[in-house]
């Protein structure tokens, strides 16, 4: 009996497991990216609430909108791969 078919099967199984692990990591990175965008939006929201100068408030509001847009785009793009609470 030759071990060549067994070797090929084991090699294919290992390749499948590596790709499966890579897919899991990518899904986690999608979630982390989306949560990071939401975190940055919250930081700018806090800065807007704490600032007293109108210029600072306007800048913080603009930054907040940018991060909201990033988060919405990420959620829209990744919605079929991740769920966000």
């Amino acid at each position: 009996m030759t071990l060549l078919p067994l070797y090929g099967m084991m090699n294919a199984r290992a390749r499948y497991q590596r790709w499966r692990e890579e897919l899991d990591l990518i899904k986690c990175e999608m979630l982390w990216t989306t949560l990071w965008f939401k975190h940055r939006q919250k930081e700018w929201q806090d800065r807007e609430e704490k600032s007293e100068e109108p210029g600072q408030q306007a800048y913080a509001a603009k930054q907040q909108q940018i991060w909201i847009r990033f988060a919405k785009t990420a959620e829209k793009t990744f919605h079929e791969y991740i769920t966000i609470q």
Side-chain angles (χ1 to χ4, degrees):
M1 178 178 157
T2 178
L3 294 179
L4 193 56
L6 180 61
Y7 176 75
M9 184 180 72
M10 290 172 55
N11 194 8
R13 182 172 182 253
R15 186 172 42 250
Y16 171 78
Q17 288 174 338
R18 284 191 303 270
W19 278 104
R20 188 74 206 160
E21 181 182 2
E22 185 67 25
L23 180 62
D24 291 342
L25 288 173
I26 289 172
K27 287 180 180 181
C28 287
E29 289 174 356
M30 289 177 185
L31 176 62
W32 297 334
T33 300
T34 305
L35 293 176
W36 173 251
F37 292 158
K38 289 183 174 196
H39 170 74
R40 294 293 292 169
Q41 178 268 324
K42 178 72 171 107
E43 282 184 341
W44 282 105
Q45 181 181 5
D46 293 343
R47 289 178 187 173
E48 180 185 14
E49 292 169 359
K50 291 177 184 176
S51 62
E52 297 175 5
E53 298 293 323
Q56 291 175 344
Q57 290 175 343
Y59 183 78
K62 178 68 174 171
Q63 289 296 314
Q64 185 179 349
Q65 291 304 312
I66 290 170
W67 290 105
I68 287 172
R69 210 169 34 241
F70 285 162
K72 285 182 179 180
T73 301
E75 286 178 348
K76 182 179 168 185
T77 304
F78 304 148
H79 79 278
E80 63 187 84
Y81 304 108
I82 61 173
T83 55
I84 301 172
Q85 288 82 14

